Amino acid sequence: MPHRQGGSGSADFPGGFLDKVSTRAAEKGEPLWSAFVVAKESGKPSSGLCGLARTVRPECSELRDDEVWTRERERGYAAES
């Protein structure tokens, strides 16, 4: 098994880590970090992003997955400026 620096050793790392930091960020009104971590093969985030966004952001409950991802990326880019 490859070494994961700072990893928890759980099977879902980094998913569990991303959920935790993204949830904390959402509580502060910040972008979900998981919007910026994508799969090498697809270039898209995991389905966990959309599920989490729909849980912590009521305004995302009716959006399609691609709309959720776009909204979170835009939130992140706005926070940078």
Side-chain angles (χ1 to χ4, degrees), residues 16-36:
F17 167 78
L18 282 173
D19 280 352
K20 287 179 184 178
V21 297
S22 290
T23 299
R24 286 187 209 145
E27 290 169 354
K28 297 177 183 179
E30 297 173 351
L32 302 179
W33 290 22
S34 49
F36 298 96

Side-chain angles (χ1 to χ4, degrees), residues 12-70:
D12 68 336
F13 185 85
F17 167 78
L18 282 173
D19 280 352
K20 287 179 184 178
V21 297
S22 290
T23 299
R24 286 187 209 145
E27 290 169 354
K28 297 177 183 179
E30 297 173 351
L32 302 179
W33 290 22
S34 49
F36 298 96
V37 178
V38 299
K40 183 178 180 179
E41 299 79 25
S42 68
K44 296 180 180 181
S46 76
S47 60
L49 164 67
C50 296
L52 178 61
R54 291 183 180 108
T55 300
V56 299
R57 302 203 196 286
E59 68 273 19
C60 291
S61 65
E62 300 297 321
L63 298 178
R64 295 185 324 263
D65 288 359
D66 61 317
E67 293 172 320
V68 170
W69 186 32
T70 297

